Amino acid sequence: MSSKNSRIRVALLAAVVAVTGLATAGPALAATPAVAAAVTVTASQAQEPAIPTDFVDLPTSPLRADAPQEFTVTYRNNTPTPTTVAPQLLVTSPDAGPYLAPSDVKVERRTGHDCWMAVQPGSQTGTLFTDLVGAQRTLGAGEQLKERYRVTVVNPEARGTVLPRVALYG
């Protein structure tokens, strides 16, 4: 087999591993902390997305239909070394249902230009969640993460709880 064919096969395998890992692990990781099975990755394969090792839960609030709610996700790196973190907003359904759908709420994130940008939440078993992969950043020693979100109820029948949190890596 030529080296060109070998490289194409390795690239295709890496793409399949990356897509499969994101599709299957992303929602599950967002909904609850989980321990993932170890995967051996050789130098010629793409690396798996980082998996959070812990979450810092911030105070919860009931989902209100009467007005948009703003949430600030903050975390300070009090360690002497850089730490990778990701802010996340969960909107959980009542235990007895009905389960929330992404169309029940509008989630927005405040940008560095002081504008609100729509965030498409993922969904798993009635829990809506913002993406962890795109939100990852590294905080230096003493640096602080501060991310603002706004949740607006679109379906007045929607009920649930908003849980802001920070995913910690490594």
Side-chain angles (χ1 to χ4, degrees), residues 62-69 104 151-160:
L63 183 64
R64 292 191 342 243
D66 59 342
Q69 294 172 265
D104 289 336
V151 177
T152 305
V153 174
V154 176
N155 175 358
E157 301 298 316
R159 301 289 179 265

Side-chain angles (χ1 to χ4, degrees), residues 3 10 12 37 45 68 75 78 105 112 117 123 137 142 152 154 167:
S3 68
V10 168
L12 180 59
Q45 293 176 330
Y75 178 80
N78 290 323
V105 298
M117 180 179 78
S123 177
R137 62 199 66 171
T152 305
V154 176

Side-chain angles (χ1 to χ4, degrees), residues 8-135:
I8 291 171
R9 287 178 188 223
V10 168
L12 180 59
L13 177 62
V16 169
V17 167
V19 169
T20 304
L22 287 174
T24 59
L29 285 174
T32 58
V35 176
V39 176
T40 303
V41 177
T42 65
S44 63
Q45 293 176 330
Q47 291 212 327
E48 290 288 315
I51 297 172
T53 55
D54 201 3
F55 289 89
V56 176
D57 291 337
L58 302 172
T60 63
S61 295
L63 183 64
R64 292 191 342 243
D66 59 342
Q69 294 172 265
E70 290 188 25
F71 300 90
T72 302
V73 179
T74 58
Y75 178 80
R76 178 173 299 282
N77 178 13
N78 290 323
T79 70
T81 59
T83 300
T84 301
V85 301
Q88 186 175 50
L89 208 61
L90 301 178
V91 184
T92 61
S93 298
D95 290 338
Y99 290 138
L100 293 167
S103 59
D104 289 336
V105 298
K106 178 179 168 184
V107 179
E108 299 168 289
R109 181 183 60 79
R110 192 76 153 188
T111 68
H113 300 290
D114 214 24
C115 299
W116 289 106
M117 180 179 78
V119 174
Q120 181 60 44
S123 177
Q124 182 179 15
T125 318
T127 297
L128 308 179
F129 54 89
T130 59
D131 179 50
L132 284 173
V133 176

